[in-house]
């Protein structure tokens, strides 16, 4: 077996040489929001950190900003085919690149509400409490906002949680049409507020406020994705290395089952073994659960660290809908419209007897994207609608259900069984959003409900908790059964809440790295 020399003086941060064995103090599997942030947090500790990514670098090229290439051709969708338990194949919204799915996310980076960490009753079930309160995560939220350059302004959202300080950067200014819309919403008694965004609008920053941010790669590196904001800075450390095009197939333990002793992988088609004192799995909630299930054997017959039987279970994807509000009388000249959010329906209150969810503006809808959902509508008509629309993304909480789960198919591929829970609340949110926009002068409202293929907000498959019989991980994302194993991605979420999960994943990655990863089990 060849011993790696990737840690020598002058060795490049991106490993080029092919060895059969690599050794590190910490192996981080996955370079998305969780994995890249863990690497960044450990970069100054002197620990040898090897980040393992199954994909390569997403190229910066003209096609980054082409709606036809991104949506029509699916140019950057490189995930394998997944299946439902009914046997239906689908291409998930997963992206295997350095930086993970954050390479194409919309950079919406809100915090969870304080109430999201507490148990709550919904019409269709219970949202369980987290194993720690919001206050424990707040300092890490603040650090995460600084690291990912979050723009925002406190004091306008009635549901906003307590903060130890202001946002690192001021809110992104509204286009004139969006500023006008905000006034119409305030006239309805609502409280529109600036959407929290991770983009580089600092003085001298690289953001050009283009119309191709949400769902597109950023050609100028202005989006606060995990590669740009966390991994590349981490790789400046002489003790952090990146291994690309390396697919991890299995984690192997010793006879006791208490320690991961080897990571089995394939790099460019050749078998590779990685050894490390600590292993951090950050593949995304679905793929992390699949990896633990593939690692069954010996002391872990049902999957690695799966004594609770919960690995892969309680999969949550959010209820997501797109809402286009059209005023046929006027075109919308806004290029960058993703600057506004409404949380008046998030909690039970004056506008709703039950919690419904979050509404946030999305990037301008392009006809090429609309055509994927409405393939039989003439492209010219789609263009006319898009020119006159204001476009919203609506999120409602998906509740945990043990039967909603990640399964391995006969060939080892991924199968999802998912029945959305709390659908009534989402239908009410969509109806409330439609009323809101009609009152604001947009008589035509078109909505589209996202299905199982929309996996961008996946969570819940390796749930954290205090009781090993009822959770997979402890409150710092350490496996209850395998003390040198951590799972740091959306899988640890006990509940999905109803806002984008990325900032919470980043904050928890900082918390786990600072408090647990390098401590003795």
């Amino acid at each position: 077996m060849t011993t790696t020399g990737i840690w020598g003086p002058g060795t490049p941060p991106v490993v080029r040489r092919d060895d059969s064995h690599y050794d590190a103090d910490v192996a981080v599997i996955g370079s998305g929001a969780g994995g890249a942030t863990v690497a960044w947090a450990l970069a100054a500790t002197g620990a040898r950190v090897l980040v393992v990514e199954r994909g390569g670098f997403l190229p910066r090229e003209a096609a980054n900003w082409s709606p036809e290439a991104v949506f029509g051709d699916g140019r950057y969708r490189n995930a394998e085919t997944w299946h439902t338990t009914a046997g239906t194949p689908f291409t998930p919204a997963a992206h295997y690149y350095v930086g993970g799915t954050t390479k194409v996310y919309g950079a919406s980076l809100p915090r969870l509400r304080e109430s999201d960490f507490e148990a709550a009753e919904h019409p269709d079930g219970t949202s369980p409490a987290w194993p720690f309160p919001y206050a424990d995560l707040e300092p890490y939220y603040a650090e995460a906002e600084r690291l990912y350059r979050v723009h925002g302004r406190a004091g306008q959202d009635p549901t906003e949680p307590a903060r130890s300080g202001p946002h690192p950067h001021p809110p992104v200014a509204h286009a004139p049409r969006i500023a006008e819309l905000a006034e119409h919403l305030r006239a309805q008694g609502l409280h529109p507020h600036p959407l929290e965004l991770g983009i580089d609008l600092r003085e001298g920053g690289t953001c050009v406020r283009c119309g191709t941010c949400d769902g597109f790669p950023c050609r100028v590196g202005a989006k606060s994705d995990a590669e740009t904001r966390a991994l590349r800075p981490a790789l400046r450390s002489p003790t952090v290395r990146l291994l690309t095009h390396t697919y991890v197939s299995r984690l192997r333990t010793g006879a006791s089952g208490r320690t991961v002793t080897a990571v089995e992988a394939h790099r460019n088609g050749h078998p590779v073994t990685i050894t490390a004192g600590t292993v951090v799995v950050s593949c995304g909630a679905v793929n992390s659960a699949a990896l633990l299930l593939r690692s069954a054997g010996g002391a872990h017959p049902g999957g690695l660290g799966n004594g609770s039987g919960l690995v892969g279970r309680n999969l949550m994807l959010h209820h997501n809908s797109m809402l286009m509000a059209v005023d046929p009388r006027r075109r919308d000249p806004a290029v960058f419209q993703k600057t506004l959010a409404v949380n008046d329906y998030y909690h039970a209150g004056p506008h709703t007897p039950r919690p419904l969810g979050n509404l946030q503006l999305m990037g301008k809808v392009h006809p090429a994207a609309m055509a994927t959902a409405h393939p039989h509508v003439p492209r010219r008509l789609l263009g006319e609608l898009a020119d006159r629309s204001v476009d919203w993304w609506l999120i409602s909480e998906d509740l945990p259900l043990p039967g909603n789960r990640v399964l391995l198919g006969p060939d080892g591929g991924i199968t999802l069984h998912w029945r959305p829970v709390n659908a009534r609340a989402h239908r009410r949110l969509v109806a409330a959003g439609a009323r809101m926009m009609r009152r604001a002068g947009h008589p035509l409202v078109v909505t589209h409900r996202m299905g199982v293929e929309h996996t961008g907000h996946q969570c819940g498959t390796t749930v954290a908790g205090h009781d090993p019989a009822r959770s997979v991980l402890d409150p710092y994302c350490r496996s209850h059964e395998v003390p040198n194993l951590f799972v740091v991605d959306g899988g640890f979420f006990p509940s999905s809440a109803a806002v984008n999960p990325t900032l919470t994943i980043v904050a928890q990655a900082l918390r786990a790295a600072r408090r647990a990863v390098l401590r003795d089990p």
Side-chain angles (χ1 to χ4, degrees):
M1 178 178 291
T2 302
T3 301
T4 181
I6 63 173
W7 305 106
T11 56
V14 180
V15 179
R16 303 298 183 191
R17 58 183 290 174
D18 289 324
D19 290 327
S20 61
H21 175 228
Y22 300 88
D23 181 69
D25 298 318
V26 182
V28 179
I29 305 169
S31 64
T37 304
V38 167
W40 180 87
L42 297 180
T45 66
R48 298 175 306 150
V49 180
L50 180 62
V51 180
V52 183
E53 168 56 47
R54 70 188 294 178
F57 288 91
L58 192 152
R60 290 190 186 179
E61 57 187 5
N64 291 165
W65 288 351
S66 165
E68 290 293 343
V70 171
F71 298 111
D73 301 336
R75 182 178 181 87
Y76 302 108
R77 286 205 170 195
N78 60 354
E80 71 278 28
T81 299
W82 295 358
H83 291 82
T84 68
T85 47
T88 304
F90 66 96
T91 301
H95 296 77
Y96 301 148
Y97 295 103
V98 176
T101 300
T102 67
K103 293 302 296 181
V104 298
Y105 80 147
S108 178
L109 294 170
R111 301 183 181 197
L112 268 62
R113 317 289 95 177
E114 287 168 292
S115 61
D116 290 327
F117 292 78
E118 304 166 356
E121 293 299 322
H122 293 262
D124 294 334
T126 301
S127 177
W130 286 42
F132 51 85
Y134 168 84
D136 286 4
L137 201 57
E138 198 284 332
Y140 302 101
Y141 269 134
E143 184 178 9
E145 288 173 339
R146 293 191 295 271
L147 178 61
Y148 279 68
R149 290 183 180 149
V150 176
H151 295 252
R153 176 179 291 147
Q156 298 184 30
D157 174 7
T159 72
E160 69 184 12
R163 301 179 57 89
S164 55
H167 292 83
H169 301 280
V172 180
H174 299 314
R177 178 81 176 271
I178 303 306
E180 177 186 323
L181 172 62
E183 292 303 317
H184 281 296
L185 299 183
R186 290 189 187 99
Q188 297 179 33
L190 300 172
H191 300 80
H193 66 276
L195 180 61
E196 302 90 341
L197 292 172
I199 54 178
D200 188 10
L201 273 177
R202 303 166 300 149
E203 184 177 351
T206 57
C207 182
V208 296
R209 290 179 61 113
C210 68
T212 51
C213 186
D214 204 346
F216 293 81
C218 184
R219 190 179 177 187
V220 296
K223 186 186 296 186
S224 293
D225 60 54
E227 177 202 349
T228 303
R229 295 304 310 137
L231 187 59
R232 283 189 178 272
L235 290 173
R236 297 182 191 129
S237 165
T239 59
V240 179
R241 298 287 185 268
L242 172 65
L243 199 64
T244 59
H245 301 290
T246 304
Y247 172 72
V248 173
S249 57
R250 181 181 177 84
L251 305 180
R252 194 167 67 230
T253 63
S256 69
R258 294 278 297 168
T259 304
V260 176
T261 56
V263 176
E264 298 178 359
H266 282 80
R267 186 172 193 234
N268 297 320
H270 301 291
V272 168
T273 301
I274 301 163
T275 52
T278 299
V279 175
V280 179
V281 175
S282 299
C283 306
V286 171
N287 273 300
S288 287
L291 175 57
L292 298 187
L293 293 172
R294 289 198 306 268
S295 302
H300 302 274
L304 185 60
N306 195 25
S308 64
L310 293 175
V311 170
R313 293 187 179 272
N314 295 305
L315 171 67
M316 294 171 280
L317 298 178
H318 275 157
H319 298 265
N320 298 289
S321 287
M322 185 186 74
L323 185 150
M324 290 182 63
V326 180
D327 182 351
R329 300 160 297 186
R330 58 189 296 199
R331 295 180 182 274
D332 180 8
V335 176
F336 192 98
Q337 74 168 6
K338 187 185 172 79
T339 58
L340 193 71
V342 173
N343 275 333
D344 291 270
Y345 305 99
Y346 202 91
H347 296 142
H351 298 280
T352 174
R354 295 181 178 88
L356 302 183
N358 163 267
L359 302 91
Q360 57 184 262
L361 286 178
M362 56 190 291
K364 278 298 299 176
V365 170
H366 295 270
M370 297 169 66
T372 62
H374 305 284
H376 303 299
V377 178
R379 187 68 65 92
R380 181 178 177 181
L381 175 58
L382 294 177
E384 292 292 328
L385 290 173
D387 284 347
R388 293 165 172 79
S389 71
V390 175
D391 313 303
W392 293 86
W393 191 258
L394 278 60
I395 305 173
S396 297
E397 184 163 355
D398 186 20
L399 301 179
L401 185 72
N404 284 345
R405 61 189 301 197
V406 179
L407 298 162
L408 298 181
D411 60 351
I414 289 174
T415 295
L416 299 186
H417 179 81
W418 181 65
R419 176 177 65 82
V421 186
N422 204 30
R424 284 186 290 173
H426 190 64
R427 288 194 294 269
R428 290 168 181 154
L429 180 66
V430 172
R435 286 194 303 272
M436 176 185 83
M437 290 307 293
R438 290 189 180 107
R439 291 169 180 165
H442 295 73
L444 176 60
V445 175
V446 179
T447 63
H448 176 68
R449 175 79 165 84
M450 303 297 168
V452 67
E453 74 285 347
H454 189 81
T455 57
H457 293 182
Q458 58 188 264
C459 56
T461 59
T462 52
V463 65
H466 293 288
D467 184 355
R470 304 175 69 178
S471 58
V472 178
L473 309 172
D474 75 7
Y476 294 99
C477 291
R478 186 197 299 272
S479 167
H480 288 301
E481 300 173 30
V482 187
N484 76 329
L485 172 65
F486 292 77
V487 183
V488 184
D489 53 33
F492 87 89
F493 282 39
S495 65
S496 69
V499 292
N500 314 62
T502 303
L503 191 73
T504 302
I505 295 171
V506 171
Q508 177 70 346
L510 294 169
R511 180 174 180 261
R514 298 265 193 270
R515 299 289 300 275
V517 169
L518 290 183
R519 290 191 172 193
D520 292 332

